[in-house]
Amino acid sequence: MTTCFDIGGSFIRHGELQADGTVAEKGRVATPGSDWQAFVDAIADCSGPDGSPISISLAGAFDTRSGIADVANIPCLHKRPVQSDLETALKRPVAITNDANAFALAEAVDGTGRGKPVVFGIILGSGVGGGLVVNGTLVTGYGGIAGEWGHGPIMDPTAGGQLKGIEHYPCGCGQTGCIDAICSARGMEKIHRSLHGLDLASKDITAAWHAGDAAATQTLDAFTTLLSRALSAFVNTLGPDVIPVSGGLSNDLVLLDVIDRKTRDLVLADYSEPLVIKGEFAANGGLHGAGIVARTLMKEAAR
Ligand SMILES: [Zn+2]
């Protein structure tokens, strides 16, 4: 029996890998954020029999050379070699995948990218992330960074001189002007504050936009322009067949449609079908992707 986990800053979701490759969700528990032993105990409580393997999707980045995790929202895992420390503590095989990579794998193997060569799965939520799958195989790249288009200070917050008043926002990675800091839900809120002096949650800003509010319309125009300009460079670099989206903003299909049209207008290839679309696994890509990783490892072990 293999247990799969989707671990975020608030909750640990867990389920059992089925013979047909799906993951049957069993439940969720609160994530012990700052207590390593409590975290280990929580995983052990949800796992199968002693020694049975587990596969984890984790909201965080990993250096594939050192194994050190960067998990700012779960302090007890931050700067720790999580995979090897968990194997030692739990005495069972542990596979760990970054959540954006797990979502991209789920889409490429069983979702919107099924049968397509290049799938660039992106997360548009409280932050911006992504994962790249080519011919069904996850591309991790040097140090495990492949697909992480959210960082690197390339943004022009004036959107080519059309906008005044948007600052270069500092990013959680320590740089200023990253895509993550301006094209995420938190970024949308910062743009709204910069342009209009209003503190609103992203869901309230998009609701006002849908209702025709002029201020929100300007914010959303800036947000989608900045996002599609950045995304278009990655489309030209990667040549994706599809860009499935996960994260909180993926639930707004009208917003995704605007991002899709603006992005396709800017890229070199002529995409006749929508490119930026909601992922089939937008809600459970972590668990499903962890299941795919477990399936792949089992196949390799059986060879
Ligand atoms: Zn950054």
Side-chain angles (χ1 to χ4, degrees):
M1 183 180 141
T2 300
T3 311
C4 297
F5 291 89
D6 178 8
I7 301 179
S10 306
F11 291 102
I12 296 174
R13 294 168 67 188
H14 60 97
E16 215 174 283
L17 182 63
Q18 307 293 296
D20 67 0
T22 60
V23 177
E25 188 163 356
K26 297 288 181 193
R28 64 171 68 190
V29 295
T31 307
S34 48
D35 183 339
W36 167 249
Q37 192 53 49
F39 180 84
V40 169
D41 292 344
I43 298 295
D45 286 347
C46 303
S47 298
D50 282 355
S52 65
I54 64 175
S55 180
I56 294 172
S57 160
L58 179 62
F62 305 89
D63 187 319
T64 50
R65 293 162 302 165
S66 65
I68 299 291
D70 200 313
V71 195
N73 60 354
I74 309 175
C76 71
L77 307 187
H78 195 50
K79 300 297 174 203
R80 183 187 276 277
V82 179
Q83 192 260 347
S84 57
D85 277 9
L86 272 180
E87 281 197 334
T88 304
L90 295 166
K91 299 183 180 63
R92 58 176 84 226
V94 176
I96 299 193
T97 312
N98 149 288
D99 60 338
N101 287 349
F103 167 67
L105 257 183
E107 290 298 323
V109 176
D110 291 321
T112 55
R114 201 184 297 109
K116 294 180 173 161
V118 182
V119 177
F120 181 40
I122 66 172
I123 307 229
L124 297 177
S126 49
V128 171
L132 178 65
V133 179
V134 177
N135 296 326
T137 301
L138 185 66
V139 179
T140 50
Y142 185 80
I145 57 164
E148 286 298 336
W149 68 296
H151 298 282
I154 67 166
M155 297 304 295
D156 171 12
T158 68
Q162 302 171 61
L163 301 163
K164 290 193 175 60
I166 302 185
E167 306 147 45
H168 272 87
Y169 307 120
C171 181
C173 75
Q175 300 185 92
T176 296
C178 288
I179 293 166
D180 186 275
I182 197 163
C183 296
S184 57
R186 298 293 89 77
M188 185 195 295
E189 291 160 2
K190 286 183 253 174
I191 293 172
H192 202 62
R193 199 176 304 133
S194 287
L195 291 177
H196 310 294
L198 295 169
D199 268 317
L200 283 183
S202 60
K203 65 176 172 45
D204 297 323
I205 300 169
T206 51
W209 171 54
H210 292 309
D213 176 77
T217 299
Q218 193 192 16
T219 296
L220 263 293
D221 191 43
F223 177 78
T224 54
T225 295
L226 290 161
L227 175 47
S228 24
R229 282 175 173 228
L231 188 54
S232 69
F234 293 90
V235 173
N236 289 337
T237 308
L238 302 171
D241 292 276
V242 65
I243 302 181
V245 187
S246 171
L249 296 179
S250 71
N251 294 315
D252 190 328
L253 299 183
V254 178
L255 174 63
L256 286 194
D257 186 53
V258 173
I259 295 168
D260 174 60
R261 280 186 289 106
K262 285 193 177 184
T263 303
R264 282 194 287 142
D265 279 350
L266 295 170
V267 300
L268 296 175
D270 185 12
Y271 284 94
S272 53
E273 302 280 320
L275 174 66
V276 183
I277 58 175
K278 184 175 180 176
E280 285 175 32
F281 292 96
N284 59 352
L287 269 187
H288 196 84
I292 293 170
V293 170
R295 275 147 62 187
T296 308
L297 292 175
M298 277 189 248
K299 264 189 222 153
E300 282 169 7
R303 260 193 220 133

